[in-house]
Amino acid sequence: MEQLVKRSLALFMVAALLCGGMASAGTTGKLAGEVRDKQTKEPVPGVNVVLEGTTIGGVTDANGRYFILLIAPGTYSLSASIIGYQTVKVTNVKINVDLTTTVNFEMSQQTLQIGEKIEIVAERPLIQKDGVTTMQVTEAEAVNNMVADDFKDALTLNSGITTAPLRDGAFSSNNESTEGLYFVRGGRGNELAVLVDGMSVRDGITGGLGTEIANSAIEELQLISGNFNAEYGNALSGVLNLVTQEGGRKTSFRVRGLTDALFGKSTGDYTFAERDHLIETKGILDRSNWGTYQGEFSLGGPLPLMKSGKLKYFVTGEYAQSDGYIGVLQNEFSRRGTAKLTLAPTTQHKLALTTNLNSEDLQIYEHLFAHDELIEVRAPGDTVRTPPNYVGNDRFSTRNVQGLMAWTHTLSSKAFYELKAQYFSRRFYDRVKDDPLDYSLLTYNDAEDFVASGDDPVYLKQEDRLLQAKLDFTWQADINNNIKGGLDFAKRRIWRKQLLAEGDIQNTRVDQYTIYPVEAAAYLQDKMEFKDLVINVGLRLDYFDPRDSVAVVPNQPLGKRQLADKTLRLSPRVGFAHPISERANLHFSYGHFYQVPEYNKLAFNRRRFVDIFRPTLGFAGLKPQRTIAFEVGWDQQLTDFLALTVTGYYKDYENLVSTDPYPNARPAAVTYYVNQDFANSRGVELNLRTRRTNHIASYFSYTLSRAEGNSSNPLDTRNDLLARPPRVPVKELIVLNWDRPHVFNFNLDFRYAGGQGPLLWGSRLLENFGVNLTGRFESGLPYTPTDSRGQRIADENSARAPSTWQLDLRVDKLVNVAGMKLGVFTEVSNLTNRRNIVSVFTDSGLPNDSTDPGYSPQGERDPYNIGPQRNIRFGFELNY
């Protein structure tokens, strides 16, 4: 089997190298079109088409057609020139990653004086004719115009994506909580591939987003929520690609800051009793001062003393701290930075060196430990900011480092390759105390809804260290065929130290392990673009070697062991787009997708402590999980400024990770992680988008969906069998924990540019003035009804919490000061101060009322059950 795997992988990699590949795995775009004589409509060959301010361009062929490859995302000016014709310049040309932008020219024979140009402002197409799947692009300008602390706020405005609020960070301790994760079209929260400049930064240990990037560093955010091309792998639900900025042709500088610490005292200064009184009397934590302070700067352009402009730089940094809307026992302190150096010694070569850094310290409020008598003083030198702490409250620390090198070599106007290498590290630390052996036994108050003494038995220290190399090729074989292929190799070092406990500090062990898994892939792809048809076919081969052992006999976990099998998976992908007219496009896509399970499931309790309470063991023999998905969509431009997209999709999930008890195992019964869960999701997405007209641009999306499966949590089967009394594990489809049948988002942006706006007293006081309104409506999350003793009284997830909605407003104004632009702005989140119920007690269906006699009134008033209240922030920015 091993020899067959090696031979198959080697043959496929050789084929990929011979046939060429996709550049950057999603960091550049393509420009194409045709040039015709304005009078005769005949094609004009030999026309030079150039991106102004760059050395990139192309020449039309005998049929008047041209293409330009390897274009970084952004906005450009494009010119077409040839002797005997007037030069035509088109401005505002938008280039997006992995997409083809079409710009056609009509040129008149020379009648103007030499040197004169015809200038045309391009209008961005409302429908993407070469799009064979759902790809949603958010540019830096759009993020800057809305209320968005980071890129995730903009991400959730896309159709097909939802999230779950962060509560006590149970996900970090292998409790498989969905907190803080992002769900794409009904998939689990760890099924999203995350890339920065085309390289993976996904958290390989627990899944989800592996790092944060400052808003000022992002040029473009791209979410592929449909069926992605063969160049992307190790994802079941979607691909998130963040492309960072490069230094421009001119020096630019930006400083920005904001705060909400202007109204009353900060949430962090409230006592537990004061906060509890707010919930009791108002039902909401009605406070606008969250102790938020944010600042960022960016600087970029050609490197000084390098007059050729061949060496450019871009640096940015961000600082943020906040007590959050909950305040007491909750605060966050983060620092982020990006530095990029770009060298283009010739028109055929380019080297980019990038470093991304992220540091976060976060304290998560836990209602179980929030009793007034449990206050203590933190030890000196603690990096978390707020002085007081409560016993049992855990603190998170995250440190990310990414170093990336990208070398691009243009072989001809039709072919180039790119070599990338990166080092990525994610260190995560969650603890109550610094030594897991110092934890003390939990005791509870009389009502048993608060801890009277003791520590939350949470201790986790881990690092995911990734070394990755990619070789990608592009070959435009002819005007119609773009052949792509590439190789990807990744080696990880997974280190984890964890306190294993089931809520009882008297029966715990400290597990520690290091493993070195290997992942590799090769792909081939051909994008065929014709006038009335675009076909995208691809094939991907994924290889995985866990480099760990499994028990020869599962019922003997401490017995003889053998190396886990390597796996090899082949994934076909196909997509079609049929431009029916200039204003209508039909697309269809189908594919198979695989993802390696998170490494905490392969190696959990690797030292095999079977003498603890209810031991669960990882299984290095877990197979890749699989999704078979298809979608069909219709894009229709309704008017010159309005377009509608309707997309239907279906996904079938197999081999999802679950758990399976082995009651006859010796020396003790154990539970293994296994591949046995299944699910499906289906839905319809409607997107309505308008081009800016009469100073207004807008976006509306509505998603009707359903996510079903036999289990929402890999530990569900284990927990059902170990419950008192035991429950029969679900073998039929149920609604999953993150299912939201109805989601509606919108963004309205009204803006006067420079020189625009009404004349008031002889001046345009409203020029460079904008108002942005964002809205989101969601169905509530499902839950399982129980009685006052916690016993189920209805089917799983047969009830649902109330729906939520929120409006966010941003108002900004720029003025010119000494050649720079000074801006002031106001941001208001939850504009109407809506009391959103995000979680309820399962026995009552209410957020702050339980029929369980074990709950005191204070215990019932859990602030997490109500969403954030209104928050008002003021800020400034200075641009040069």
Side-chain angles (χ1 to χ4, degrees):
M1 175 63 183
E2 181 176 348
Q3 291 300 317
L4 177 62
V5 168
K6 290 181 177 179
R7 290 174 182 173
S8 300
L9 184 61
L11 287 173
F12 196 87
M13 287 182 171
V14 170
L17 283 172
L18 292 175
C19 295
M22 171 63 189
S24 309
T27 59
T28 62
K30 174 184 170 184
L31 185 64
E34 61 182 17
V35 181
R36 292 185 177 273
D37 187 294
K38 190 171 185 178
Q39 285 73 40
T40 66
K41 306 302 180 184
E42 293 295 317
V44 182
V47 177
N48 291 305
V49 183
V50 177
L51 287 172
E52 294 190 350
T54 75
T55 57
I56 303 174
V59 179
T60 58
D61 61 14
N63 296 311
R65 296 180 296 183
Y66 73 94
F67 61 83
I68 305 174
L69 307 176
L70 198 61
I71 309 174
T75 302
Y76 297 87
S77 293
L78 186 68
S79 66
S81 62
I82 188 173
I83 296 175
Y85 284 87
Q86 299 170 5
T87 297
V88 179
K89 177 181 178 180
V90 179
T91 61
N92 196 40
V93 177
K94 303 281 188 178
I95 301 296
N96 295 121
V97 168
D98 286 348
L99 296 176
T100 299
T101 298
T102 300
V103 178
N104 297 321
F105 292 88
E106 286 191 340
M107 303 184 71
S108 299
Q109 295 186 20
Q110 187 81 47
T111 57
L112 301 176
Q113 295 182 9
I114 295 177
E116 291 190 78
K117 295 181 180 180
I118 297 175
E119 185 167 323
I120 301 169
V121 179
E123 290 186 329
R124 183 171 184 175
L126 288 169
I127 61 174
Q128 190 68 39
K129 294 183 180 179
D130 67 323
V132 299
T133 189
T134 300
M135 179 185 296
Q136 301 172 86
V137 177
T138 306
E139 297 172 348
E141 180 183 2
V143 178
N144 290 334
N145 288 342
M146 67 176 65
V147 179
D149 285 339
D150 52 44
F151 69 86
K152 300 190 297 296
D153 293 326
L155 176 66
T156 55
L157 279 180
N158 290 302
S159 59
I161 188 164
T162 59
T163 186
L166 184 68
R167 287 182 62 97
D168 60 2
F171 68 93
S172 68
S173 306
N174 216 63
N175 292 338
E176 305 298 345
S177 165
T178 59
E179 297 172 19
L181 298 179
Y182 294 84
F183 310 93
V184 181
R185 286 186 170 179
R188 290 182 173 181
N190 47 26
E191 295 175 357
L192 180 68
V194 186
L195 311 175
V196 172
D197 289 336
M199 301 296 273
S200 174
V201 293
R202 179 177 178 268
D203 178 7
I205 299 179
T206 56
L209 304 178
T211 191
E212 297 277 357
I213 299 292
N215 279 354
S216 55
I218 298 174
E219 176 67 36
E220 180 178 292
L221 182 154
Q222 182 191 81
L223 174 67
I224 307 176
S225 55
N227 300 335
F228 34 95
N229 298 334
E231 61 191 288
Y232 298 107
N234 203 20
L236 295 181
S237 292
V239 175
L240 174 63
N241 191 10
L242 303 172
V243 181
T244 59
Q245 294 196 42
E246 295 183 359
R249 298 189 301 272
K250 298 180 180 180
T251 299
S252 63
F253 175 72
R254 184 191 188 205
V255 177
R256 181 178 183 269
L258 67 83
T259 184
D260 62 9
L262 301 175
F263 302 99
K265 66 180 181 180
S266 167
T267 53
D269 294 331
Y270 278 72
T271 66
F272 172 79
E274 289 174 329
R275 183 178 59 191
D276 181 66
H277 180 69
L278 276 176
I279 299 176
E280 180 182 14
T281 56
K282 293 189 175 183
I284 188 172
L285 297 175
D286 192 11
R287 303 166 298 179
S288 292
N289 183 347
W290 297 1
T292 301
Y293 297 90
Q294 293 182 12
E296 67 178 48
F297 81 94
S298 61
L299 178 66
L303 198 68
L305 305 179
M306 297 289 291
K307 297 182 180 180
S308 63
K310 294 181 178 180
L311 185 60
K312 300 176 181 178
Y313 71 97
F314 178 82
V315 293
T316 184
E318 180 181 280
Y319 165 94
Q321 68 179 46
S322 178
D323 295 324
Y325 77 99
I326 289 181
V328 183
L329 302 178
Q330 176 130 347
N331 52 66
E332 179 178 4
F333 178 43
S334 64
R335 293 84 71 200
R336 300 179 184 123
T338 295
K340 178 179 283 191
L341 193 65
T342 307
L343 173 65
T346 71
T347 57
Q348 289 80 36
H349 303 88
K350 179 180 177 181
L351 175 67
L353 302 174
T354 306
T355 299
N356 292 303
L357 304 175
N358 177 58
S359 175
E360 296 178 73
D361 293 289
L362 177 67
Q363 185 173 236
I364 294 292
Y365 168 77
E366 293 188 61
H367 195 53
L368 185 67
F369 293 89
H371 194 278
D372 257 338
E373 298 176 359
L374 300 182
I375 192 167
E376 66 178 10
V377 179
R378 276 206 189 96
D382 196 317
T383 57
V384 182
R385 185 175 56 86
T386 307
N389 184 31
Y390 287 77
V391 174
N393 202 53
D394 37 331
R395 296 161 284 160
F396 298 171
S397 297
T398 304
R399 302 291 184 266
N400 302 110
V401 177
Q402 182 189 27
L404 172 64
M405 182 278 294
W407 170 256
T408 304
H409 183 192
T410 302
L411 303 173
S412 70
S413 63
K414 294 184 177 182
F416 63 91
Y417 71 87
E418 187 169 42
L419 176 64
K420 285 186 175 183
Q422 81 154 344
Y423 168 84
F424 174 69
S425 171
R426 182 179 191 271
R427 289 181 292 150
F428 179 80
Y429 189 17
D430 176 14
R431 76 284 189 194
V432 174
K433 294 182 177 179
D434 292 331
D435 189 340
L437 301 179
D438 289 342
Y439 285 58
S440 55
L441 180 66
L442 292 174
T443 61
Y444 296 86
N445 61 4
D446 293 339
E448 295 192 351
D449 57 350
F450 285 113
V451 171
S453 64
D455 301 309
D456 186 4
V458 174
Y459 181 93
L460 174 63
K461 201 171 186 178
Q462 65 185 29
E463 181 183 25
D464 179 7
R465 189 182 299 173
L466 170 66
L467 293 175
Q468 182 183 12
K470 298 182 68 176
L471 179 62
D472 297 294
F473 283 81
T474 279
W475 176 37
Q476 189 76 37
D478 53 40
I479 197 68
N480 301 120
N481 289 269
N482 187 259
I483 312 294
K484 307 175 181 180
L487 306 174
D488 189 349
F489 177 83
K491 183 176 181 179
R492 293 181 183 269
R493 176 187 179 273
I494 305 296
W495 177 84
R496 201 178 212 219
K497 182 179 181 181
Q498 182 175 6
L499 179 66
L500 303 177
E502 283 287 341
D504 183 358
I505 203 69
Q506 289 182 322
N507 187 23
T508 62
R509 297 291 184 273
V510 178
D511 187 40
Q512 183 172 324
Y513 62 82
T514 305
I515 57 175
Y516 299 88
V518 171
E519 304 169 21
Y523 70 89
L524 289 173
Q525 184 174 299
D526 186 7
K527 185 177 182 181
M528 296 165 274
E529 298 180 85
F530 304 97
K531 183 177 181 180
D532 298 322
L533 183 65
V534 177
I535 305 173
N536 199 330
V537 293
L539 197 61
R540 182 180 181 88
L541 184 68
D542 286 287
Y543 168 82
F544 174 60
D545 181 0
R547 293 195 171 186
D548 202 4
S549 62
V550 297
V552 174
V553 179
N555 275 327
Q556 298 176 14
L558 303 184
K560 186 177 180 180
R561 304 184 70 78
Q562 62 186 8
L563 287 177
D565 290 338
K566 305 171 181 64
T567 61
L568 198 65
R569 294 291 185 269
L570 199 62
S571 310
R573 319 274 174 87
V574 61
F576 301 91
H578 176 35
I580 298 172
S581 69
E582 288 297 318
R583 294 193 169 195
N585 184 57
L586 175 68
H587 76 262
F588 169 82
S589 60
Y590 170 87
H592 290 218
F593 309 91
Y594 290 93
Q595 184 179 46
V596 174
E598 296 72 48
Y599 289 109
N600 66 329
K601 298 180 178 64
L602 274 71
F604 185 75
N605 193 359
R606 190 170 180 270
R607 293 187 176 181
R608 300 182 292 283
F609 293 112
V610 298
D611 56 340
I612 63 174
F613 184 60
R614 299 177 177 178
T616 299
L617 303 178
F619 180 52
L622 287 174
K623 305 302 180 184
Q625 304 164 101
R626 184 175 77 164
T627 298
I628 300 176
F630 70 84
E631 76 165 52
V632 60
W634 178 272
D635 307 305
Q636 180 68 57
Q637 185 171 336
L638 303 174
T639 69
D640 290 340
F641 62 88
L642 178 64
L644 173 68
T645 298
V646 181
T647 304
Y649 66 87
Y650 178 84
K651 293 187 174 186
D652 190 63
Y653 298 86
E654 301 174 352
N655 270 358
L656 297 178
V657 175
S658 180
T659 46
D660 192 17
Y662 279 67
N664 297 320
R666 293 294 178 267
V670 299
T671 298
Y672 282 103
Y673 281 104
V674 296
N675 296 102
Q676 68 180 18
D677 276 356
F678 54 89
N680 70 69
S681 63
R682 55 195 182 274
V684 177
E685 297 172 354
L686 283 78
N687 290 277
L688 193 67
R689 187 182 299 275
T690 67
R691 177 183 292 135
R692 191 173 297 279
T693 303
N694 295 325
H695 312 289
I696 298 177
S698 63
Y699 166 76
F700 300 86
S701 74
Y702 169 71
T703 302
L704 173 66
S705 63
R706 186 173 180 86
E708 298 178 324
N710 72 304
S711 170
S712 299
N713 185 324
L715 295 176
D716 277 350
T717 299
R718 168 189 181 273
N719 294 338
D720 284 341
L721 293 175
L722 295 176
R724 294 291 181 267
R727 298 185 294 265
V728 177
V730 176
K731 296 300 181 184
E732 59 186 16
L733 292 175
I734 60 171
V735 174
L736 298 177
N737 288 353
W738 50 86
D739 176 69
R740 296 185 188 268
H742 305 281
V743 177
F744 173 70
N745 301 321
F746 75 85
N747 181 263
L748 295 172
D749 189 79
F750 176 85
R751 198 159 299 277
Y752 284 125
Q756 295 180 344
L759 280 171
L760 300 173
W761 302 288
S763 301
R764 298 191 184 274
L765 299 179
L766 293 181
E767 69 173 339
N768 294 316
F769 171 80
V771 179
N772 186 282
L773 182 66
T774 300
R776 183 174 182 86
F777 169 89
E778 294 181 316
S779 298
L781 293 171
Y783 68 92
T784 303
T786 64
D787 59 21
S788 60
R789 300 169 298 169
Q791 300 298 318
R792 294 181 179 179
I793 57 174
D795 293 337
E796 188 169 352
N797 283 346
S798 58
R800 193 173 291 275
S803 300
T804 64
W805 60 267
Q806 180 170 316
L807 298 176
D808 298 333
L809 177 71
R810 188 179 196 272
V811 181
D812 57 78
K813 174 75 169 101
L814 287 175
V815 295
N816 293 316
V817 178
M820 297 183 289
K821 289 186 176 180
L822 174 64
V824 291
F825 59 87
T826 300
E827 296 181 346
V828 185
S829 59
N830 195 2
L831 179 65
T832 63
N833 209 23
R834 160 82 176 178
R835 183 176 183 263
N836 284 313
I837 298 173
V838 297
S839 185
V840 297
F841 287 96
T842 58
D843 57 348
S844 67
L846 300 174
N848 299 127
D849 188 16
S850 173
T851 61
D852 186 344
Y855 274 98
S856 65
Q858 291 78 18
E860 292 176 329
R861 292 192 282 270
D862 187 342
Y864 275 122
N865 292 348
I866 306 297
Q869 71 277 10
R870 182 193 294 121
N871 180 236
I872 305 173
R873 306 186 299 189
F874 296 90
F876 77 95
E877 61 180 85
L878 184 64
N879 297 281
Y880 171 74

